[in-house]
Amino acid sequence: MRQRAWWPSIARWILALGVPGRGADAIVGDLREEADQHRLTRFWLLREALKIAGRMLFARSVGIRATINRETRRTGDSTMSGILQDVRFALRGFRNSPELAAVAILTLALGIGANTAVSSIVDGVLLKALPYPDPDRMVRIYSSWEQSDRGNVSPMDFLDWQDQASSFSAVAAIISEDYAHIGTGELKVVFAAEVTPGFFEVVAVDTALGRPFVGDDGGPGADPVVVLSDGFWQRSFGSDPDVIGRSLRLETGSATIVGVMPPGFVLHGWSDTGPDFWINMVLDRADNNRGGHFLGVIGRLREDVQLTSARSEMDTIGRDLAELYPRKLALDGDPPLLMASVRERIWRTTRCFRSATSTPWRTASGRRSPFPVSSPRCRRCSPSLPWCSLQSAYTGSCPKVSRSVTARSASGWRSARSPPPSSGW
Amino acid sequence: MMERVLLGELEQLILLAVLRLETEAYAVSVREQIVDQSGVQVSRGTVYVTLDRLEKKGHLESWFADPTPERGGKAKRYYRVTPLAVRALQTSRTALDRMWQGIEPAGGKL
């Protein structure tokens, strides 16, 4: 049997862990000879190399233990309590078997490295504070219903919360969207976040150029305006300081550039690099859409409001909304679950309800332009799955524990997986 | 009385195999010799570990032959027994023979 050159090399490397010097080469030669003689595969060769290396390592470790035992008897210290003595024996054992020492050190290095990597991920994803001012004042607000206690929010619920909740200095709704950007004649798909004007108040980060969205940008009939990310500003506009007031050409229309965010500001948890731009989301009460849950909602607690107070307030609002819209009880037959809860959690999941909901809502909203590209989809979703799970770091978090406010809204017990009605409630 | 440490069973098998193979004793042939002559199945790892241990105890000497293309350019590691090993083998055999005395013939008391 003719072995490929790299198999013996791997076998040699494996055996070198347990066999010093030219001995490993000799064993590889032996294995190769037997493999050729008995027409055995290279996998057999590698397996045997592993077994032999393991036996050799084990035998050496036994030899080290025997040496330690002899030394222990010699010194009369049966407890081996002296640290210096332990260290001396360890060093002696390693000196006698440097290969074993190398394997031990390699194992330790791999273990420490793996632990460091996991710790870094846990710290960055779960424990590290959000990169916004006063992150412990930021909360994620959910709708809940029997199928999900942390679901996205319908436009009408959001507007009601925005009007009635006094615990927050600002609340904002967010959805992510792909747009077709017409730059220099070339069509490119870009990643945008549609946000209501309160978004920049919630994150408490000001624009580097121009202005953030203001209240009028979210009202019915508002013209589309965008705030560019620093990266997109550099890539598409060459960091032109006079970009404010220019138009961003999208496939379905144009939007006026009103601001540019500072470098490094991203929509944390939504994407690794953040959206290319933020575009104003227009919500109109005339749409009366309380059945389509597709908005992610974040809020910033007022300085003088505790989380428990905010929970109580959202509880009350949810109860009031349920009384105002009793029709849902008749439709679904579920009791009105009005409980609002504040829960501590270390892993945040938000769901995006994409293709089935966003387009009808936008159509019904009467928004002039721009419209999303024809097949709106979440960047992290399979296009075939209307629902997906996204890790979201929008949940407000103190440096150690994230918090969220869950409000069981009036529309909460309608299944969010069902398409929203074409007309509102 | 001088402490005498007898050879282990496997050590004896390997030393005897090396003796039988004379100048052609290397790990593969040693293992084949043991399997063929004694019927005892030993793993390759066991053979290598025991050869290594016997060499450290001074019962074996080894040297590397020239690399051959048939082995992918890898040299064979040949072994030969030392006088110390011969004495150890004799001691072990003598001890066992004495233990067998009175039990033979044909293991009548077994």
Side-chain angles (χ1 to χ4, degrees):
Chain A
M1 185 188 70
R2 183 175 183 82
Q3 298 288 342
R4 292 174 60 182
W6 55 284
W7 290 104
S9 298
I10 295 176
R12 167 71 175 78
W13 183 84
I14 293 170
L15 284 165
L17 297 174
V19 185
R22 297 178 62 189
D25 282 330
I27 296 176
V28 172
D30 291 345
L31 293 175
R32 184 161 181 165
E33 178 184 323
E34 286 197 82
D36 287 346
Q37 184 178 349
H38 302 294
R39 295 185 171 278
L40 301 170
T41 65
R42 53 199 174 207
F43 299 109
W44 172 88
L45 192 151
L46 287 178
R47 190 185 63 202
E48 288 299 314
L50 268 174
K51 288 161 68 175
I52 293 169
R55 284 297 310 270
M56 299 292 276
L57 278 172
F58 178 75
R60 285 170 184 275
S61 68
V62 169
I64 289 174
R65 285 203 298 273
T67 302
I68 292 174
N69 289 338
R70 283 198 300 274
E71 293 289 340
T72 305
R73 285 197 299 270
R74 191 177 304 161
T75 59
D77 182 3
S78 59
T79 59
M80 284 289 288
S81 56
I83 296 176
L84 289 176
Q85 200 171 27
D86 289 345
V87 171
R88 190 171 69 243
F89 286 141
L91 292 177
R92 187 175 300 160
F94 286 165
R95 185 185 62 197
N96 292 335
S97 180
E99 300 82 10
L100 180 64
V103 172
I105 292 170
L106 181 66
T107 304
L108 281 172
L110 288 174
I112 293 170
N115 274 291
T116 303
V118 171
S119 298
S120 300
I121 293 171
V122 169
D123 179 60
V125 174
L126 301 179
L127 303 179
K128 195 174 181 179
L130 293 173
Y132 308 118
D134 298 325
D136 56 332
R137 308 304 299 170
M138 292 178 66
V139 295
R140 171 85 193 251
I141 311 173
Y142 295 98
S143 284
S144 61
W145 51 90
E146 68 274 18
Q147 290 93 349
S148 171
D149 60 352
R150 283 186 289 272
N152 284 337
V153 183
S154 71
M156 290 300 290
D157 284 343
F158 169 74
L159 291 174
D160 286 335
W161 293 356
Q162 184 175 246
D163 291 346
Q164 299 178 32
S166 60
S167 299
F168 308 97
S169 59
V171 291
I174 306 165
I175 55 174
S176 63
E177 203 64 79
D178 288 343
Y179 281 87
H181 171 230
I182 307 170
T184 56
E186 182 183 3
L187 199 65
K188 289 182 179 177
V189 175
V190 291
F191 175 34
E194 288 191 42
V195 298
T196 54
F199 172 79
F200 295 99
E201 292 181 59
V202 174
V203 297
V205 177
D206 201 2
T207 54
L209 286 177
R211 63 168 179 84
F213 297 152
V214 295
D216 291 342
D217 293 327
D223 291 327
V225 291
V226 295
V227 173
L228 307 181
S229 70
D230 181 74
F232 188 72
W233 176 51
Q234 292 182 30
R235 291 192 304 273
S236 298
F237 295 94
S239 302
D240 181 4
D242 298 324
V243 72
I244 305 301
R246 290 174 59 179
S247 292
L248 183 69
R249 295 179 61 203
L250 303 172
E251 184 187 31
T252 53
S254 295
T256 304
I257 300 169
V258 296
V260 178
M261 292 306 287
F265 179 81
V266 297
L267 205 53
H268 191 74
W270 206 273
S271 165
D272 294 336
T273 57
D276 295 312
F277 59 84
W278 291 262
I279 189 166
N280 60 325
M281 182 191 299
V282 175
L283 298 179
D284 191 348
R285 284 194 176 277
D287 296 333
N288 200 22
N289 186 347
R290 203 175 290 273
H293 295 73
F294 49 87
L295 300 178
V297 176
I298 58 175
R300 178 171 284 275
L301 289 172
R302 301 171 67 94
E303 290 296 329
D304 56 343
V305 172
Q306 299 299 314
L307 204 56
T308 51
S309 303
R311 177 176 57 184
S312 298
E313 184 185 38
M314 295 307 293
D315 187 11
T316 303
I317 292 173
R319 186 179 295 112
D320 292 344
L321 290 175
E323 291 175 356
L324 283 172
Y325 303 99
R327 182 181 173 187
K328 292 173 179 52
L329 290 178
L331 287 176
D332 298 301
D334 287 326
L337 302 175
L338 305 175
M339 174 189 69
S341 63
V342 176
R343 62 195 64 207
E344 293 178 343
R345 46 201 295 264
I346 60 172
W347 188 258
R348 286 86 66 180
T349 301
T350 182
R351 289 172 167 172
C352 56
F353 187 35
R354 311 301 308 161
S355 57
T357 58
S358 57
T359 302
W361 165 66
R362 254 182 288 277
T363 303
S365 72
R367 181 175 184 156
R368 291 195 297 269
S369 66
F371 294 98
V373 291
S374 56
S375 299
R377 63 179 177 81
C378 173
R379 294 173 70 84
R380 298 189 185 183
C381 299
S382 165
S384 62
L385 297 174
W387 277 87
C388 72
S389 293
L390 281 179
Q391 175 201 344
S392 170
Y394 277 113
T395 304
S397 64
C398 67
K400 295 299 178 187
V401 180
S402 302
R403 302 168 174 178
S404 64
V405 176
T406 301
R408 186 167 294 281
S409 68
S411 58
W413 48 84
R414 183 175 185 80
S415 170
R417 285 183 170 81
S418 61
S422 56
S423 60
W425 292 97
Chain B
M1 179 181 175
M2 181 181 172
E3 184 182 4
R4 289 184 178 179
V5 178
L6 299 181
L7 294 169
E9 187 180 62
L10 191 61
E11 290 176 331
Q12 292 184 54
L13 286 174
I14 285 185
L15 287 174
L16 291 170
V18 173
L19 276 172
R20 293 172 67 91
L21 289 164
E22 299 180 347
T23 59
E24 290 299 319
Y26 66 108
V28 175
S29 62
V30 166
R31 178 172 174 272
E32 289 175 350
Q33 183 74 213
I34 293 172
V35 173
D36 292 344
Q37 295 298 321
S38 69
V40 175
Q41 291 289 338
V42 290
S43 70
R44 293 171 183 82
T46 300
V47 170
Y48 286 111
V49 167
T50 310
L51 285 170
D52 188 52
R53 185 169 67 243
L54 288 170
E55 187 172 18
K56 286 178 178 171
K57 290 165 73 174
H59 291 151
L60 285 176
E61 292 175 345
S62 72
W63 71 96
F64 292 94
D66 293 332
T68 56
E70 293 78 17
R71 292 165 54 89
K74 308 294 183 186
K76 282 183 183 176
R77 185 176 194 171
Y78 285 106
Y79 293 87
R80 66 173 167 239
V81 298
T82 64
L84 177 65
V86 174
R87 287 198 296 275
L89 280 170
Q90 290 171 339
T91 301
S92 296
R93 182 174 183 177
T94 300
L96 289 174
D97 286 344
R98 286 175 180 169
M99 291 301 294
W100 276 100
Q101 284 179 8
I103 299 174
E104 292 176 322
K109 291 185 180 179
L110 295 178

